[in-house]
Amino acid sequence: VALGSNLGDPQATVQAALVALERLPRSTLAAASSLYLSAPVGLHNQPDFINAVAVLDTQLGAEALLEELFAIEARFGRKRAYLNSPRTLDLDLLLFGDETRRTVQLTLPHPRMHERAFVLLPLVEIASETVIPGHGPAAALLDRVRDQALTRLEPVRAS
């Protein structure tokens, strides 16, 4: 799961969202990356983002997990005013095992994750052997996004 925020107190929001992920039913937060500061990709006139990636072990199905992620976003005040609008919290389901699918509701793997340093670097930090179906090892994709500057902030400690 990718986490991102660029409104309010983004660092506190991402840390609180990790706690919310930890409390998901039939799920365990297996790992959480450091926090990263990143400029919005392809967007102008927006504050920088705080990003992280979390690994969940879950018994929920992909759609049920996605619904839980949307519910967490809503609790944090997420509004979807327009495409790529600033957000209090964004939670993206990146991968669900090695599953691939494309439905109206869900695309797996996340369609742009292989193009985003703010996803790949934290993902490789906590799950270095991850393979993105259709794209290859996440670590091998880092070279393609090296022009996207990230600043590592601190290790996340969910409680």
Side-chain angles (χ1 to χ4, degrees):
V1 175
L3 301 91
S5 175
N6 73 337
L7 292 178
D9 183 346
Q11 189 165 348
T13 297
V14 169
Q15 289 173 325
L18 285 164
V19 173
L21 290 176
E22 210 170 32
R23 295 180 178 155
L24 283 175
R26 300 172 37 213
S27 303
T28 302
L29 180 63
S33 74
S34 301
L35 299 180
Y36 290 84
L37 179 67
S38 67
V41 174
L43 306 172
H44 304 288
N45 301 320
Q46 283 197 28
D48 287 347
F49 278 86
I50 298 295
N51 298 100
V53 169
V55 175
L56 295 174
D57 290 330
T58 186
Q59 295 176 358
L60 298 172
E63 287 84 2
L65 178 57
L66 185 64
E67 287 303 315
E68 292 285 350
L69 298 180
F70 287 159
I72 292 170
E73 287 180 343
R75 287 198 305 271
F76 280 83
R78 171 76 189 262
K79 305 282 188 247
R80 296 176 187 273
Y82 55 89
L83 185 64
N84 297 322
S85 61
R87 53 208 74 143
T88 52
L89 181 63
D90 186 28
L91 299 175
D92 288 327
L93 184 54
L94 300 173
L95 298 165
F96 198 80
D98 59 0
E99 208 171 302
T100 60
R101 73 169 86 175
R102 181 176 291 243
T103 67
V104 171
Q105 186 180 28
L106 179 61
T107 300
L108 291 170
H110 188 282
R112 291 170 304 285
M113 70 178 287
H114 64 285
E115 301 171 346
R116 306 289 198 233
F118 64 81
V119 171
L120 292 173
L121 190 58
L123 177 62
V124 169
E125 176 189 331
I126 58 173
S128 62
E129 301 301 315
T130 300
V131 174
I132 301 171
H135 299 284
L141 298 169
L142 285 171
D143 268 352
R144 296 181 188 174
V145 296
R146 78 173 88 177
D147 62 324
Q148 298 172 26
L150 291 182
T151 303
R152 183 178 175 185
L153 299 179
E154 65 182 50
V156 171
R157 302 284 181 236
S159 55

